[in-house]
Amino acid sequence: MRIELLLNGEKHLVEVQPPELLLDVLRETFGLTGAKPGCRNGDCGTCTVTVNGWPMKSCLMLAAEASGQAVVTVEGLGDADIQQAFVDKFAFQCGYCTPGFIMNIHALSSKHPQADEATIRDWLQSNICRCTGYEEIRQAVVSVLEGKVKGM
Amino acid sequence: MKAIGRSVPKKESFDKVTGVAMYTADKVEARMLHARLALSPYAHARILSVDTSEAKQVQGVKTILTGDVSDVLIGEEIRDRPIIAREKVRYYGEVVAVAVADTEAAAKRAAELIRVEYEPLPVVNSPVDALRQDAPILHDKLGEYENEGRAVPVPGTNIASVNRLRKGDIDKGWKESEMIAENTVWFMPSDHAAMETRSATAEIRPDGYVVIDTSSQVPFTVKKYMANYFGIGSGWIVVQTPLVGGAFGGKSAIFLEPIVYLASKAVGGRKVKIVLTREEDMASAPVRIGLHATVKLGSTLDGYIKAAHITYRFDGGAYNDKSSDVAKAAVIDCSGPYGIPNLACDCFTLYTNHGFAAAFRGYGHSELTFAMERAIDALADKLGMDPWELRFRNAAVPGDTAPTRDLLTPSNLGDIKTCLNRLKILSEWEGWQVRQIDAYRIRAKGISCFWKNSSMDTDASSGAIILFNPDGSINLETGVVEIGTGTKTVLAQILAERMRMSPERIHVKLTVDTRTTPEHWKTVASRGTLLAGRAVLKAADDAIRQLLDIAACVLRADPEDLVLENEKVFVRADPSVNIEVREICYGYVYPNGNAIGGQIIGRGHYIQRRMNPLNPVTGEGTPGPEWNVGAQAVEIEMDTRDCSYRLMKAISVNDAGKVLNPEGARGQVMGAMAMGLSFANREGFDYNEQGMVLNPTLRDFSVLRYDENPSYIVEFIETPCLDAPYGARALGEHGMIGMPAALADALSRAAGVRLNQLPLYPETVWRARMGYSHVFL
């Protein structure tokens, strides 16, 4: 079946199989391998992208479901504050979970620019990082949110 | 321009935050074939027949491989494991067949259609079971297997290896003891759960080259063993490893590479790719070792430990792989960081019908530390002594001997007493240890102390090559795999410090290709900084000598009068006479066009000094270069109604020797602490009575998430190791080693009952409080 994807700001017509996951279409058809297949079960969050600005685990969405929607992957972010914040705060080690965390936090900072600790906790539970103790990730989130608040 | 001691961001930082960082499974090629596995649903069964006829009918299937494809047995210590199961399966999830097809979907469909008929056999479900007189024997040909000589199997039993250690006079030690404490601990095998599941591709090129891409910590070991197993000249094997998405020891075992090689061979050498699902990665691939251990301690009434007898029964799983070596590492350091004069250790590595064990971060040390520290706490209870004081009194100091009888020195032993002193202050140990918060909630603290030497091959070595660019910057190539530890960045700092230039001017090759990259034994044991670091220093000195030689010609000065600084070579006594490195690093061209020299290429290597293997009866030997030490504490808050608890605070004081990259070091220790807490709090395979793994997903095998972590305090002290670059000791594993023991200590204090079983689910605590006996299969 043919679907229309608004992917990283560009319109694409793409042929997909009905059971194909958005994750697999991103990785195999478009070569956007920033989204990672950590569990294919919605447990780990390594495949997180945004759909219409909301974080979405791309292993839990059929490509067909994404038809007509705006999908952004880590490759499409350009130059988001959270990317620099991850570098500054040493918020990754192996880097495998990083694109998923970055997409989740990027959505968080746009949906809840003044998110409190409870909101941050709530959102960030959906992703697993096995290398850090999450402390550096917390610092990166806080630095982005505070930076935004100051700029407003 | 100090390069050492600065928090230089990882060289691959921008690759990792923009999604362009490539891991093994990210490579997609049009003509690649895909393999999927068929796995055993039984933990122990005879294979009666394998029917692939239906599977072969699936559109796009190229071939189906079964155990018949190869009779090669593999294993690093004992060659006991078929690549694909033959005759028997010995664990739930063992590979029984492999389907290769045009697409992953077709391979998956075909794998599902492979019909295997089994005759179930009784299972060995724990190391204690394995030792029973009437236990089913997993390997009836144990006596016939090829053995590298380090494991000591007992044919006719389930004992894959027996290691013993004796130091001092144990009988004398008991006689001198006025108080005896004995304690038994246990935990089941568990998983590494790196976020990247294992994957590999293999291709046999028409000219004979075997090219393997693999998500591995040990590309050079893959090359060595592929040559051994299949009789291929090692020069014909090329192993490539890009960035690795977490490893924690689990990717130091050879697992997928022989499978995917056989698959490629079966389809005329075409490239075949395999990517494990999370469920396969947990149930089928190597796991973390399990343990049942008893420690008996004898001390004087004032708390000086005179004797210790330690008995380990390790759950090595269905095949030995590295489990006997992990066990040996636990023997080497069995006393923990204490100067115990009389020691006996008996260690059994046992075959069970569980997944086979590979290395896990800490290599036997959070295991041995849990056993020893829980016994120390039991002894402290009996003596009525503060557990901190008991540890402090017995802490090993230079002049003591290690269990292996090595003399401990200020260089090879970190400073345990200073770690303990700092821990006492940071944890406010003297303020309170248990505190009632309200009617239901209790806060409590627990402490632990650890040491770790590494247990490497005695000839483990590393190499480095540095190549200059025309702009004077340097390309650095080493065989360390970048698994997330940031070692490649630290190596750039080590190089920059010696070259007296900025680490930003060092370009690092992040990937490994065994054809061109100098060998680094294995990216394990927290030894990248020592082995590769020393090789880098040697390469730097080699390059500096070449730079000074050519500068000496141009400047008409003796090389001994020259110094290198900030990418220039100066005459020491007259800095106005100088030349830029970029003018000489590609050879120097005189004004008339004559040229001398050429591209500067520095090379270096390092091999450990005076190591030897252990005597299997006495445990005597020199296993590794230094004992890294630390002291840790955990604070928890428990609800006495249901024994649920929260992790409040975790503290680690490590002797780092020298902190090379402060943020990087802190992150390594904090991450390891989180992993140790997660393991102790909730990680472990849930086996049913038939030995099936009931929780091979990240939903059921849960790991710590964002809001479940305590606040972390990490502090370093610096007692230099004279062998190491700038004195830096090992660091990557050590944050996790004492965490399970410290957590169990804190919870025991809150619950008022001694806890010796992991994981410490609230239910485990509740059962212990209710006086129910522990369930141990």
Side-chain angles (χ1 to χ4, degrees):
Chain A
M1 60 188 291
R2 176 172 293 193
I3 62 167
E4 188 184 295
L5 270 187
L6 185 59
L7 180 56
N8 293 336
E10 292 173 9
K11 208 173 268 185
H12 295 272
L13 283 175
V14 55
E15 201 66 42
V16 302
Q17 298 292 319
E20 267 189 291
L21 301 178
L22 177 60
L23 171 64
D24 291 330
V25 170
L26 292 175
R27 288 176 59 83
E28 278 153 38
T29 309
F30 292 98
L32 296 169
T33 54
K36 305 294 186 198
C39 70
R40 293 177 175 277
N41 197 37
D43 299 330
C44 78
T46 56
C47 65
T48 306
V49 299
T50 63
V51 177
N52 301 327
W54 291 91
M56 182 69 212
K57 289 171 177 170
S58 61
C59 74
L60 291 183
M61 190 176 210
L62 296 174
E65 291 179 277
S67 186
Q69 316 214 44
V71 176
V72 178
T73 69
V74 70
E75 293 90 345
L77 272 190
D79 192 7
D81 292 348
I82 188 61
Q83 291 168 295
Q84 184 63 47
F86 259 58
V87 177
D88 294 344
K89 301 294 179 189
F90 282 63
F92 54 86
Q93 289 177 27
C94 83
Y96 200 79
C97 73
T98 309
F101 265 102
I102 283 181
M103 295 313 292
N104 189 6
I105 298 165
H106 181 68
L108 168 68
S109 64
S110 69
K111 296 290 180 191
H112 297 280
Q114 301 191 349
D116 56 11
E117 276 287 333
T119 309
I120 297 171
R121 270 208 305 273
D122 202 27
W123 278 58
L124 292 201
Q125 267 192 66
S126 63
N127 296 55
I128 296 173
C129 169
R130 188 66 164 158
C131 295
T132 73
Y134 299 90
E135 173 59 25
E136 303 93 327
I137 294 174
R138 191 187 68 80
Q139 290 173 11
V141 176
V142 169
S143 78
V144 165
L145 292 175
E146 284 179 352
K148 282 215 165 139
V149 174
K150 273 183 217 144
M152 275 158 68
Chain B
M1 152 180 352
K2 291 291 282 181
I4 292 298
R6 254 179 65 197
S7 294
V8 176
K10 290 190 183 63
K11 289 288 184 181
E12 71 280 16
S13 288
F14 285 94
D15 282 0
K16 284 183 173 172
V17 299
T18 55
V20 306
M22 292 287 275
Y23 301 80
T24 301
D26 291 338
K27 221 158 139 183
V28 180
E29 287 174 30
R31 254 179 63 78
M32 230 175 214
L33 299 176
H34 299 265
R36 284 297 291 262
L37 307 173
L39 306 178
S40 168
Y42 292 100
H44 200 192
R46 206 172 301 286
I47 299 171
L48 300 178
S49 66
V50 184
D51 177 3
T52 60
S53 55
E54 216 181 325
K56 282 181 175 156
Q57 302 304 313
V58 174
Q59 177 86 36
V61 167
K62 298 291 173 197
T63 188
I64 309 285
L65 285 75
T66 64
D68 295 339
V69 73
S70 170
D71 59 4
V72 169
L73 292 174
I74 66 176
E76 280 190 48
E77 305 294 324
I78 302 172
R79 289 178 60 166
D80 58 3
R81 177 161 57 101
I83 297 165
I84 300 171
R86 294 162 65 83
E87 296 165 22
K88 266 173 87 169
V89 287
R90 295 183 177 87
Y91 69 98
Y92 173 82
E94 184 165 357
V95 180
V96 290
V98 182
V100 183
D102 284 336
T103 64
E104 204 182 348
K108 177 168 186 273
R109 181 78 191 116
E112 287 163 358
L113 290 171
I114 296 166
R115 307 285 176 220
V116 185
E117 205 185 336
Y118 298 95
E119 177 197 329
L121 297 168
V123 301
V124 174
N125 221 350
S126 79
V128 176
D129 267 1
L131 281 168
R132 287 188 216 284
Q133 282 296 329
D134 59 347
I137 301 300
L138 266 76
H139 293 269
D140 48 12
K141 293 188 179 131
L142 183 54
E144 297 165 32
Y145 292 145
E146 276 182 52
N147 184 339
E148 289 284 324
R150 293 175 294 236
V152 186
V154 183
T157 73
N158 287 317
I159 300 171
S161 186
V162 188
N163 294 76
R164 295 187 200 277
L165 180 141
R166 297 288 181 267
K167 189 185 96 169
D169 180 344
I170 192 82
D171 293 329
K172 179 167 156 277
W174 296 128
K175 280 192 197 113
E176 289 169 6
S177 299
E178 297 163 298
M179 183 67 78
I180 304 283
E182 188 174 290
N183 194 65
T184 296
V185 301
W186 62 89
F187 46 86
M188 284 291 182
S190 58
D191 199 57
H192 306 81
M195 296 318 297
E196 179 204 23
T197 62
R198 295 165 178 87
S199 63
T201 66
E203 173 183 20
I204 305 165
R205 301 237 169 105
D207 53 10
Y209 283 105
V210 176
V211 183
I212 294 173
D213 288 15
T214 177
S215 173
S216 173
Q217 294 169 260
V218 295
F220 297 96
T221 308
V222 170
K223 172 175 159 178
K224 172 180 159 185
Y225 282 99
M226 291 298 288
N228 281 358
Y229 295 153
F230 300 108
I232 309 166
S234 55
W236 291 94
I237 300 169
V238 181
V239 183
Q240 302 174 141
T241 297
L243 297 173
V244 171
F248 315 116
K251 291 171 181 166
S252 64
I254 293 173
F255 179 59
L256 289 179
E257 298 88 354
I259 295 175
V260 79
Y261 163 75
L262 290 177
S264 174
K265 200 173 170 190
V267 292
R270 276 182 70 180
K271 189 178 274 193
V272 179
K273 176 181 184 176
I274 186 161
V275 183
L276 291 190
T277 64
R278 177 57 61 184
E279 292 77 3
E280 291 165 344
D281 202 61
M282 295 186 98
S284 192
V287 302
R288 178 186 187 151
I289 207 161
L291 176 64
H292 185 277
T294 302
V295 176
K296 183 178 165 191
L297 298 175
S299 80
T300 59
L301 287 178
D302 52 1
Y304 290 95
I305 302 174
K306 295 292 179 185
H309 192 140
I310 297 132
T311 310
Y312 299 125
R313 297 162 209 91
F314 277 103
D315 185 343
Y319 300 100
N320 186 59
D321 198 71
K322 284 306 256 188
S323 55
S324 61
D325 202 61
V326 172
K328 187 191 80 186
V331 172
I332 288 168
D333 289 341
C334 63
S335 63
Y338 307 110
I340 303 177
N342 306 297
L343 267 178
C345 179
D346 298 306
C347 175
F348 303 92
T349 308
L350 296 153
Y351 286 120
T352 68
N353 291 114
H354 293 159
F356 66 91
F360 192 103
R361 194 177 202 171
Y363 211 63
H365 284 72
S366 41
E367 292 82 353
L368 84 88
T369 302
F370 187 63
M372 177 52 74
E373 293 294 291
R374 295 309 294 136
I376 295 265
D377 287 329
L379 179 63
D381 278 355
K382 284 188 96 171
L383 290 168
M385 182 179 277
D386 180 298
W388 183 93
E389 184 60 38
L390 180 59
R391 286 173 168 86
F392 192 80
R393 277 188 195 181
N394 290 286
V397 292
D400 287 340
T401 56
T404 52
R405 308 186 199 181
D406 279 295
L407 181 66
L408 299 171
T409 68
S411 172
N412 73 12
L413 178 70
D415 185 346
I416 302 157
K417 290 199 166 182
T418 300
C419 289
L420 274 166
N421 276 327
R422 286 302 303 160
L423 184 78
K424 192 181 196 177
I425 293 164
L426 292 169
S427 66
E428 298 167 31
W429 184 253
E430 286 180 323
W432 59 273
Q433 286 140 40
V434 191
R435 192 165 73 180
Q436 192 85 31
I437 299 293
D438 58 25
Y440 305 115
R441 289 178 301 152
I442 294 179
R443 280 204 190 191
K445 297 171 191 166
I447 57 170
S448 65
C449 204
F450 67 84
W451 72 354
K452 181 182 188 292
N453 204 332
S454 39
S455 176
M456 300 189 282
D457 291 355
T458 56
D459 61 349
S461 72
S462 189
I465 296 176
I466 66 176
L467 296 163
F468 274 86
N469 294 304
D471 66 359
S473 65
I474 297 177
N475 299 327
L476 170 62
E477 182 154 17
T478 64
V480 174
V481 177
E482 189 44 77
I483 55 178
T485 55
T487 308
K488 293 229 167 189
T489 303
V490 168
L491 292 173
Q493 290 177 255
I494 288 171
L495 176 60
E497 183 80 14
R498 181 62 65 105
M499 301 296 296
R500 308 191 66 78
M501 63 196 282
S502 161
E504 284 71 28
R505 297 273 292 156
I506 311 282
H507 305 284
V508 170
K509 172 96 177 287
L510 290 163
T511 57
V512 170
D513 177 333
T514 60
R515 186 153 41 179
T516 53
T517 309
E519 176 150 341
H520 176 74
W521 175 60
K522 294 180 176 184
T523 304
V524 299
S526 307
R527 288 300 178 198
T529 305
L530 171 68
L531 298 182
R534 285 288 299 266
V536 165
L537 288 177
K538 208 165 180 178
D541 290 344
D542 184 32
I544 291 168
R545 194 171 52 246
Q546 296 175 55
L547 284 171
L548 298 192
D549 280 350
I550 188 168
C553 291
V554 179
L555 299 177
R556 282 162 289 170
D558 191 305
E560 293 191 357
D561 290 338
L562 300 177
V563 288
L564 174 68
E565 176 83 50
N566 203 8
E567 300 187 36
K568 279 185 186 174
V569 178
F570 295 88
V571 171
R572 190 182 290 107
D574 182 3
S576 69
V577 181
N578 65 66
I579 188 161
E580 302 242 12
V581 164
R582 65 184 158 79
E583 290 182 68
I584 52 175
C585 66
Y586 257 58
Y588 177 75
V589 183
Y590 287 94
N592 71 353
N594 294 169
I596 56 168
Q599 185 186 14
I600 305 278
I601 302 170
R603 81 223 197 299
H605 55 78
Y606 180 72
I607 196 158
Q608 293 190 95
R609 174 169 41 80
R610 300 170 72 93
M611 298 291 131
N612 51 46
L614 297 195
N615 178 316
V617 181
T618 64
E620 198 175 351
T622 300
E626 55 111 5
W627 283 263
N628 186 292
V629 303
Q632 301 186 315
V634 172
E635 185 181 320
I636 55 102
E637 184 177 292
M638 191 181 90
D639 185 322
T640 51
R641 290 170 296 185
D642 58 6
C643 299
S644 62
Y645 62 94
R646 284 173 55 209
L647 304 169
M648 306 303 295
K649 195 188 277 182
I651 305 169
S652 189
V653 184
N654 294 50
D655 192 339
K658 171 77 187 169
V659 178
L660 303 178
N661 182 318
E663 281 304 321
R666 205 176 116 74
Q668 282 299 300
V669 173
M670 240 180 340
M673 290 166 78
M675 185 167 259
L677 287 171
S678 186
F679 165 66
N681 166 262
R682 62 182 62 183
E683 293 176 22
F685 281 127
D686 189 4
Y687 298 98
N688 69 5
E689 282 177 19
Q690 289 82 42
M692 294 167 68
V693 177
L694 301 180
N695 58 342
T697 69
L698 289 174
R699 189 159 303 180
D700 301 317
F701 184 107
S702 82
V703 299
L704 279 192
R705 287 180 188 255
Y706 180 82
D707 67 334
E708 296 169 317
N709 280 262
S711 61
Y712 291 100
I713 298 171
V714 176
E715 189 173 290
F716 295 111
I717 66 165
E718 297 185 326
T719 312
C721 170
L722 301 181
D723 280 323
Y726 305 103
R729 295 178 186 274
L731 201 68
E733 300 163 283
H734 304 72
M736 83 171 287
I737 294 174
M739 281 288 120
L743 175 60
D745 184 23
L747 264 177
S748 297
R749 211 160 271 144
V753 58
R754 197 170 296 145
L755 299 163
N756 287 312
Q757 178 187 0
L758 299 176
L760 291 157
Y761 300 125
E763 187 186 334
T764 316
V765 182
W766 179 82
R767 292 183 73 91
R769 287 193 95 197
M770 293 292 123
Y772 294 127
S773 62
H774 293 299
V775 177
F776 189 69
L777 288 166

